[in-house]
Amino acid sequence: MLNQFKSFIFGGNEYIPVAAKVNYPSQGNDLIPKLTLQFSRIYVGDEFKKIINSITPLGWQEPISMVYEQYNALSMDKPTNRYSLYVTENGIRFNRTSVQVTASDDNPMILAKPHYESNPIYTLEEYRGLAYA
């Protein structure tokens, strides 16, 4: 709950108020648009550290995902917009005063997305000669 003074209930979940800043993706030349959330470290720093420390070493092999929801005064139980995003490779940063999270809709764990016209995936079923390569 950004920049509010009391707790609210959205979609059945209680959200605590916190000072924050949202930078929406720009319409510029970025190949992968990114959403940046910046929170006051005083309020959320310990919670972020608990979450990061709870990830097992094998858990780092999977992408960190997040949900960004927007509500308005007319609909407190259903979001008006809902986005499933991935935290980028260097997407969580701590400094003395803030915690910054950068996310996009591009999964950072996928090295190359297949595009069948220009970058086909070669499988052993289709190309049996690959078994001997």
Side-chain angles (χ1 to χ4, degrees):
M1 187 68 202
L2 303 179
N3 303 321
Q4 297 294 320
F5 300 105
K6 64 177 185 171
S7 298
F8 281 96
I9 296 178
F10 293 110
N13 297 314
E14 182 177 2
Y15 292 90
I16 60 171
V18 63
K21 181 178 167 185
V22 178
N23 292 327
Y24 294 102
S26 66
Q27 299 295 323
N29 298 331
D30 289 340
L31 294 175
I32 302 172
K34 296 179 179 137
L35 172 79
T36 303
L37 302 167
Q38 189 169 357
F39 302 97
S40 173
R41 185 167 179 171
I42 294 171
Y43 299 109
V44 298
D46 290 340
E47 291 300 317
F48 269 91
K49 284 195 171 196
K50 283 183 206 173
I51 292 168
I52 290 172
N53 289 335
S54 71
I55 299 173
T56 64
L58 292 176
W60 286 105
Q61 295 178 0
E62 297 197 16
I64 300 172
S65 62
M66 65 174 272
V67 174
Y68 179 73
E69 294 179 337
Q70 295 175 329
Y71 293 84
N72 63 22
L74 300 174
S75 175
M76 301 281 272
D77 57 346
K78 184 178 178 188
T80 55
N81 292 314
R82 186 175 201 276
Y83 305 98
S84 295
L85 303 171
Y86 295 101
V87 175
T88 59
E89 292 170 347
N90 57 353
I92 300 175
R93 295 180 181 229
F94 290 88
N95 67 28
R96 264 185 333 111
T97 59
S98 66
V99 177
Q100 180 176 321
V101 178
T102 305
S104 72
D105 64 351
D106 188 41
N107 184 342
M109 300 300 282
I110 298 174
L111 297 177
K113 288 188 174 180
H115 189 276
Y116 293 106
E117 291 83 27
S118 63
N119 189 14
I121 295 177
Y122 297 102
T123 63
L124 291 176
E125 291 79 26
E126 294 179 77
Y127 301 94
R128 300 206 182 275
L130 291 174
Y132 306 108

